[in-house]
Amino acid sequence: QQQVKQSPQSLIVQKGGISIINCAYENTAFDYFPWYQQFPGKGPALLIAIRPDVSEKKEGRFTISFNKSAKQFSLHIMDSQPGDSATYFCAASHRSNDYKLSFGAGTTVTVRA
Amino acid sequence: GAGVSQSPSNKVTEKGKDVELRCDPISGHTALYWYRQSLGQGLEFLIYFQGNSAPDKSGLPSDRFSAERTGGSVSTLTIQRTQQEDSAVYLCASTLWGGEAFFGQGTRLTVV
């Protein structure tokens, strides 16, 4: 069964707008929550990651918000640009499971100029 | 090399044939993972190698799938008697244990 649930499946945003992708998990053992960006024909590339001891992490235009009690985390892309058009995957893993990543189903983001 | 290298990039095979997919991890990375990405789906874990330990094969979907890692470096994923449902992108990732996972560009397998 899918251990990480991701929504929406796709979204369209205007250039300069905010893209928000949400993920939820059940396994409280998860202790590492990365987001991956994937362009067509390429492998996923790590975008930003968070551990549960912080509630927010920001890197440039990308921010992860983490709610441990709700077992939810989200990616916010500020000032979205056409170059951000890609598929985004949230994932989760934990040390006791050798950091095998459990992925969400992915969100295709299209940024309209 | 600078990154994880996978070959071939694309593979078209006839149903029932065997295929071998290759992964060259980043030098020095002790952990290697194989994942499968089916059309419109997330990534599904297949198998994990860590150093000289026995591999974790818990994600392999059937006994037609096998993998080995020689000398702690290059890995080969073998699919025997391929079926149409095996069509997918097969991705390899390597890490220093517990660190960032670096993915290759994947092998797109099409079974006709």
Side-chain angles (χ1 to χ4, degrees), chain A residues 18-19 28 35 69 83-84 102 104:
Chain A
I18 302 173
S19 304
T28 55
W35 284 87
S69 60
D84 297 333
S102 295

Side-chain angles (χ1 to χ4, degrees), chain A residues 2 9 32 36 38 41-46 51 87 89 95 97-106, chain B residues 33 35 37 40-45 48 56 58 89 91 97-106 108:
Chain A
Q2 193 126 45
Q9 188 174 17
Y32 177 64
Y36 285 85
Q38 185 178 32
K42 303 291 186 184
L46 180 67
R51 295 195 184 268
T87 299
F89 293 95
R95 177 189 178 97
N97 199 26
D98 296 316
Y99 289 110
K100 294 192 288 284
L101 292 163
S102 295
F103 284 88
Chain B
Y33 305 78
Y35 293 87
Q37 184 174 24
Q41 302 292 314
L43 285 76
E44 170 193 16
F45 165 76
Y48 162 66
D56 176 350
S58 60
V89 176
L91 289 156
W97 192 83
E100 175 185 347
F102 291 85
F103 283 82
Q105 84 282 6
R108 181 176 296 279

Side-chain angles (χ1 to χ4, degrees), chain B residues 49-63:
Chain B
F49 297 89
Q50 170 59 38
N52 295 320
S53 303
D56 176 350
K57 305 178 183 180
S58 60
L60 295 178
S62 79
D63 59 8

Side-chain angles (χ1 to χ4, degrees), chain A residues 32-89:
Chain A
Y32 177 64
F33 301 88
W35 284 87
Y36 285 85
Q37 180 188 55
Q38 185 178 32
F39 294 104
K42 303 291 186 184
L46 180 67
L47 190 62
I48 186 172
I50 198 168
R51 295 195 184 268
D53 51 342
V54 297
S55 60
E56 186 174 281
K57 183 174 181 180
K58 183 176 180 178
E59 290 185 2
R61 296 184 293 107
F62 301 91
T63 299
I64 298 179
S65 297
F66 185 81
N67 186 328
K68 188 173 181 178
S69 60
K71 291 184 286 186
Q72 295 175 348
F73 58 111
S74 61
L75 176 70
H76 294 226
I77 307 174
M78 314 300 285
D79 186 26
S80 296
Q81 300 297 310
D84 297 333
S85 297
T87 299
Y88 294 81
F89 293 95

Side-chain angles (χ1 to χ4, degrees), chain B residues 51-105:
Chain B
N52 295 320
S53 303
D56 176 350
K57 305 178 183 180
S58 60
L60 295 178
S62 79
D63 59 8
R64 296 186 295 104
F65 288 72
S66 63
E68 63 176 21
R69 188 178 185 191
T70 53
S73 181
V74 172
S75 177
T76 303
L77 177 69
T78 301
I79 308 173
Q80 296 179 309
R81 306 181 301 283
T82 52
Q83 304 295 312
Q84 288 188 329
E85 62 262 28
D86 299 334
S87 295
V89 176
Y90 290 82
L91 289 156
C92 173
S94 72
T95 82
L96 292 170
W97 192 83
E100 175 185 347
F102 291 85
F103 283 82
Q105 84 282 6

